[in-house]
């Protein structure tokens, strides 16, 4: 996922960096999303911690544990919304890889599209890219 996002950011000419496991400072705490796209200046200033204002996109890869699923699906999104992070993508791994692309509207996230494994889907914002969620995860052995 990181490589795909990095290529899309570069192709779009967006001044941003794709980072993994970065501390994102929110109004009510600190979260560590799986992947974030942050303004390049903020990443250069501190590649480990950034303020929510610098975050363009948060990507959560849903944990297989029941508590992790609740956290990624229910707990984190309202905090990201309160911090005005405009784009939230959630990669569900089960039963098949599915990417839920959401955008902030009136203080809450609204699903804009759902990309399912086996089908290439075009995502337009925050930068254009095409993806098949099935190619984002390693096949099970």
């Amino acid at each position: 996922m990181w490589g795909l996002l990095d290529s899309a950011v570069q192709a779009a000419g967006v001044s941003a960096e794709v980072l993994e496991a970065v501390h994102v400072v929110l109004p009510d705490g600190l979260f560590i999303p799986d992947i974030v796209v942050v303004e390049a200046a903020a990443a250069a200033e501190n590649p480990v911690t950034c303020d929510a204002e610098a975050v363009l996109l948060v990507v959560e890869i849903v944990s297989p544990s029941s508590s992790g699923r609740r956290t990624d699906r229910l707990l984190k999104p309202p905090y990201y919304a309160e911090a005005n992070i405009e784009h939230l993508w959630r990669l569900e791994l089960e039963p098949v890889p599915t990417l839920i692309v959401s955008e902030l509207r009136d203080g809450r996230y609204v699903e804009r599209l759902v990309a399912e494994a086996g089908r290439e889907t075009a995502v337009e914002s925050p930068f254009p890219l095409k993806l098949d969620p099935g190619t984002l995860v390693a096949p099970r052995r």
Side-chain angles (χ1 to χ4, degrees):
M1 169 78 83
W2 181 94
L4 181 68
L5 287 171
D6 189 56
S7 295
V9 166
Q10 300 306 316
V14 177
S15 181
E17 295 290 332
V18 181
L19 304 171
E20 296 178 298
V22 171
H23 298 93
V24 176
V25 180
L26 304 169
D28 285 329
L30 177 95
F31 281 162
I32 304 172
D34 295 300
I35 300 172
V36 293
V37 179
V38 301
E39 296 170 356
E45 183 178 315
N46 186 341
V48 177
T49 302
C50 68
D51 289 329
E53 296 86 43
V55 176
L56 306 175
L57 166 68
V58 168
V59 180
E60 289 292 353
I61 301 170
V62 177
S63 172
S65 72
S66 61
S67 64
R69 286 193 304 268
R70 275 192 303 275
T71 299
D72 292 339
R73 292 176 183 158
L74 303 173
L75 176 68
K76 290 182 176 182
Y79 284 96
Y80 295 145
E82 181 183 17
N84 290 314
I85 297 172
E86 190 172 349
H87 300 277
L88 171 64
W89 295 3
R90 190 177 79 238
L91 181 60
E92 296 279 349
L93 302 176
E94 295 176 354
V96 296
T98 304
L99 182 70
I100 294 93
V101 175
S102 300
E103 197 168 273
L104 192 62
R105 292 283 180 245
D106 298 321
R108 60 185 274 279
Y109 288 108
V110 176
E111 288 183 12
R112 283 194 317 107
L113 68 90
V114 176
E116 298 175 346
R119 186 172 44 137
E120 187 173 76
T121 302
V123 178
E124 296 302 321
S125 66
F127 29 80
L129 65 97
K130 290 183 181 178
L131 59 80
D132 171 352
T135 65
L136 300 176
V137 296
R140 292 185 179 172
R141 297 183 192 258

